[in-house]
Each structure stands twice: as C-alpha cells, then as structure tokens.
Amino acid sequence: MFVSDCLNINEQGHLTIGGRDTVELAQTFGTPLYVMDEQQIRSNCARYKKSIDAFYGGNGLACYASKACCTRAICQIVKEEGLGLDVVSGGELYTALSVDFPMEKVYFHGNNKTVEELLLALEHHVGRIVVDNITELELLNSLAKAQNCQAEILFRIKPGVEAHTHQFIRTGQIDSKFGFALETGEAMEAVKKAIALPNITLVGLHCHIGSQIFDIDPFEHAAQIMLDFIRQIKEQHGYEITELNLGGGFGVKYVPEDKPVEYERYMEKVSQVVHNICQKSGLKLPFIVIEPGRSIVGTAGVTLYQVGGVKEIPGIRTYVSVDGGMGDNPRYALYQSEYEAVIANKAAQPKVRTVTIAGKCCESGDLLGENMPIQEVAPGDTLAVFSTGAYNYSMSSNYNRIPKPAMVLVNGTEARVVVKRETFEDIIRNDLL
Ligand code: LLP
C-alpha cells in the first residue's frame, strides 16, 4: 500500500512503522524525529548477502555505503548482518572503529583523503583503500613504507557509463572528479606504476556509475568495460586483478510511481555477465564487491514533524509549515527529490488536499515538497515523510542554528534512541569568545 513494507495503518487510523504507532513515537520522543525500522534494514542487508551466495557462489561481499546514513547503531547492525562497509572519510571510519567493525571488510573511498585519514586507515589495517589519483597513490606508498606495511588497494576507474534514475548514457565522461580515465591511458599508466611500487599491492578495480538507478543494463555495461580493462592489464603486464567492485546505486521507491528492480536481479544479471566474459577471455572469476547505500536504509526510514501554520494563498497554493525542513532533509532543496507524505494521525483518511510543505528555515527554497497530496491538515497534526532513511540524517545541517533531530530505531515492541536530539548547548559547544 505504501512505498515501504514497514509502513502500515493501525486500528486508530494512525501510521505505523515496524508495527509502532508513529503518533505515539512523536509524542514520546518529540519532533522532528527520524525513525528507522531495524527489521527492514536487516532484511535488506540479508537480501544482498543472499543474492551473492545464490548467484555468485558467495565469492563476493556486499558493503553498506555508510554515507547513506552513518551512525554507530547502523554500523553495528551492518556488522551483525555480516556485510562490509564503504567509508569515505575519517569520520565514517572512526564510527566504524567505535563499534569494532571488522576492518578487513572496510573499503576506504574518497577523491582527496588526507594524510591523517590514510594513516588512520593503515594503522587500523583497513581492508582496501580505493585510490583515486596518482598523487594519492604516491602518498600512500610513502606512508605505507614509513609504517613498514603493505597497502592493499583498488583503483577507482571512470568506466564511461553514467546512469540516472530512468536512463543511462555511455560517454567519455572524462569530466568527473572521481578516478582514472580509461580512454586517455591514464588508468593503465596508474596500473603500471602501482605494480612497480614496493609498498602497494594492486588487488582490484572499482567503479560507481550513479545513484537511484532503475535499470540493470548500465551495471552490465560497466562490468563489461571493467572486465575488458582487467583483460588488457593481464595481456600488457601479465598481472591478474582479483577483485572487482561495482559500486552502489540501486534505486528505491520514494513515490508510488517509482519502480525499482528487485535487488536480487542485479546480482543475477551481473553475475551472468562476469561468468560469460571470464570464460571467454580466460580470466579467473574476480571477487565481486557491491556497495548499496540508499537501498539498505532508504525505505526503512520516515521523518515525523509537527504541523504548525497552514497558510492558504487563494488561487496560488497552500503552505503547510513543519518544525523541521532543509536542515534535516536538504534533498528537495538540492535535487527537487520527490517524497510521499501522510498526516500520521489521519493516515486512513483520503488525501483530499494538495499542498506545499515548508520547513522553518529562513529561506524560500526550504521546502520538503510541492504539489503533495495529503489528508485534511490542521496545526498540531503529525506529518510523516516516507523513505527518508538515506541521505537525510547524513546530509543534515545546523543551518539557522536549528538543532538536529533525534533518531529512533524501532524493532517490534522496542523503540530506542540511537542518536540523541541536539540541544542549544550542543549548538554553541564549539564556539569560543
Ligand atoms: N559507492 C560509492 C563509491 C558511492 O559514491 C556511492 C554514492 C555509493 C557507493 C552508494 O550509492 P547508493 O547505493 O546509495 O546509491 N546525496 C545523493 C546521493 C549521493 C550518492 C553518492 N555516492 C542523494 O541524496 O540522492
């Protein structure tokens, strides 16, 4: 009925998430409130893990791209589910360390890792460092040499496949800040250099073709291109790449019209492509890594707000103001991302209004959506916005010095705070006079 399996309506006509009444959650924990359903996160993790077992003989690893939502509790769940972790900063790595995440399953990304970040990664024996450019390669080699260790790396490659929600294009795509280009020979030069560097072990290649993708074709194309490059490396340098990381990007449902592919189908198709190509070109089957972020946590989350003023501008539009906004969810302001919303305390009623939901920031663009169908709405109602588990908390800000919301994790009858609500004291914590 809703965009996510974990949402429903109870006998009071209230929206539930993971079986918990959202109106009660809002009353107990206050608003705005991020609510995440633990079972949904766990079952998404398990689906990816099982699909690698089923379609690729278990010869791979699904890593959760923690940029989608990085908290200690979520890293802990991912660890318990046996997935790896994609981190892209010292802060994400530090969060993983704080829950004793098995470091051998951590992939460290980023196009400009600092010396401190690289040292942190080496010191804790992070499984793989995904090297973005030559400067980083040389820096990492010298840091590893000083630490008397070997850095196991992947190269980030621009495969020339760029995918968006409903389409993808194959272009040169040299113009990206991430990774090495194939067509200029830059990637092959880097490979040659890496093979020769004493404190670097080149294990694999990585690519990431986009986010919120609804097609399988672009992933198949990317796999083909990457395997072709692996073949060329073998032919030119006699060097066998053993790991292929195809990144994340699997789409999720935000609004009823979204039709994401079942996650299992990606692995099934990509696995066929990899098997076929490897057989034809005499390559060993590589260890496959995928990095889903949004599709692990996106639909597991809702954000609850309290409705304040309702401003009707005759013949123009109705603004419904809520007690959060672009501070806790900047995605509409940034990308005009669409969401579905309901009045949680009237969830069983028909949607009879079309409104613009406005946040409380001092900025006209602070909207959570326009032309949104919604139930009859009045001040004091609880508004629930769906599919906010990914890239909401992780992209939140303190604009206008608004404290960030709390995050509650629900699991059956249990509901526990996993991120405390910020206070005004938190807001001035780092200020000095
Ligand atoms: N791996 C790499 C190297 C990535 O750069 C990303 C996302 C992922 C994995 C995970 O992609 P996912 O499965 O979550 O699509 N802020 C934007 C999304 C940016 C994605 C950046 N990279 C948004 O709110 O839509």
Side-chain angles (χ1 to χ4, degrees), residues 68-374:
C69 185
C70 189
T71 74
R72 299 184 68 203
I74 288 176
C75 288
Q76 175 70 24
I77 292 171
V78 171
K79 169 180 145 183
E80 287 169 10
E81 292 299 323
L83 266 62
L85 202 70
D86 152 354
V87 300
V88 72
S89 71
E92 289 181 352
L93 178 55
Y94 191 82
T95 311
L97 283 166
S98 79
V99 298
D100 286 329
F101 202 95
M103 284 295 129
E104 69 279 8
K105 290 204 240 175
V106 173
Y107 284 68
F108 191 12
H109 290 274
N111 64 305
N112 193 21
K113 304 171 196 73
T114 63
V115 169
E116 292 75 20
E117 287 175 324
L118 289 171
L119 284 174
L120 190 68
L122 289 175
E123 183 193 336
H124 292 282
H125 309 289
V126 160
R128 302 279 185 261
I129 296 176
V130 184
V131 171
D132 179 89
N133 55 71
I134 287 289
T135 308
E136 184 171 279
L137 181 68
E138 288 166 353
L139 173 63
L140 183 59
N141 184 61
S142 66
L143 295 175
K145 189 172 173 201
Q147 304 279 67
N148 200 17
C149 68
Q150 203 64 18
E152 302 208 328
I153 69 156
L154 267 56
F155 271 136
R156 171 129 190 191
I157 302 293
K158 303 179 197 183
V161 175
E162 195 187 359
H164 302 283
T165 304
H166 297 292
Q167 62 190 32
F168 78 97
I169 43 170
R170 288 186 68 177
T171 64
Q173 219 218 323
I174 294 169
D175 187 7
S176 162
K177 74 166 181 171
F178 296 109
F180 296 91
L182 290 174
E183 53 273 68
T184 57
E186 184 193 23
M188 193 59 96
E189 271 307 304
V191 166
K192 206 168 124 191
K193 180 149 203 171
I195 296 171
L197 286 173
N199 291 80
I200 294 286
T201 306
L202 176 62
V203 181
L205 303 178
H206 168 271
C207 67
H208 172 76
I209 57 173
S211 204
Q212 184 62 355
I213 302 169
F214 287 167
D215 295 328
I216 299 183
D217 299 11
F219 290 97
E220 293 184 51
H221 278 282
Q224 279 162 9
I225 291 164
M226 299 294 277
L227 285 163
D228 192 55
F229 187 49
I230 291 177
R231 182 188 54 75
Q232 288 175 39
I233 294 171
K234 191 177 171 191
E235 281 172 13
Q236 292 181 28
H237 301 289
Y239 190 88
E240 191 119 20
I241 295 288
T242 55
E243 197 168 301
L244 178 57
N245 182 330
L246 294 168
F250 318 111
V252 308
K253 204 167 180 141
Y254 283 98
V255 288
E257 302 78 59
D258 288 338
K259 300 274 180 286
V261 175
E262 277 180 65
Y263 309 156
E264 290 77 6
R265 300 288 80 79
Y266 291 108
M267 209 49 222
E268 186 181 10
K269 288 286 189 164
V270 165
S271 170
Q272 278 165 6
V273 169
V274 174
H275 276 98
N276 289 345
I277 296 181
C278 286
Q279 202 177 22
K280 271 190 217 136
S281 35
L283 293 171
K284 283 198 202 113
L285 277 183
F287 186 78
I288 293 278
V289 181
I290 52 170
E291 295 172 335
R294 191 191 310 271
S295 52
I296 300 272
V297 289
T299 56
V302 297
T303 308
L304 305 177
Y305 303 94
Q306 190 178 71
V307 174
V310 178
K311 192 172 286 179
E312 307 211 11
I313 310 177
I316 302 195
R317 63 166 101 203
T318 299
Y319 283 100
V320 173
S321 289
V322 295
D323 54 358
M326 65 188 289
D328 61 81
N329 181 1
R331 296 190 70 256
Y332 188 78
L334 276 176
Y335 322 117
Q336 288 75 54
S337 307
E338 283 188 285
Y339 286 97
E340 191 183 5
V342 299
I343 299 298
N345 48 308
K346 301 171 186 165
Q349 297 179 18
K351 290 185 169 177
V352 290
R353 305 293 304 272
T354 300
V355 302
T356 291
I357 300 175
K360 63 189 262 91
C361 284
C362 190
E363 176 139 345
S364 309
D366 173 22
L367 304 176
L368 293 174
E370 291 168 278
N371 301 316
M372 294 176 81
I374 203 94

Side-chain angles (χ1 to χ4, degrees), residues 3-73:
V3 286
S4 172
D5 300 341
C6 60
L7 302 174
N8 217 327
I9 298 176
N10 65 14
E11 284 155 13
Q12 286 80 45
H14 293 176
L15 177 77
T16 62
I17 175 165
R20 294 289 307 236
D21 187 317
T22 55
V23 181
E24 278 175 21
L25 289 171
Q27 274 158 7
T28 310
F29 299 103
T31 54
L33 187 69
Y34 297 115
V35 187
M36 304 285 279
D37 180 38
E38 183 168 346
Q39 286 311 322
Q40 179 88 55
I41 298 173
R42 287 190 187 275
S43 83
N44 289 340
C45 289
R47 283 177 69 181
Y48 278 115
K49 193 164 192 290
K50 276 193 200 138
S51 74
I52 292 182
D53 293 344
F55 300 112
Y56 203 69
N59 185 27
L61 183 67
C63 291
Y64 167 59
S66 68
K67 70 206 78 184
C69 185
C70 189
T71 74
R72 299 184 68 203

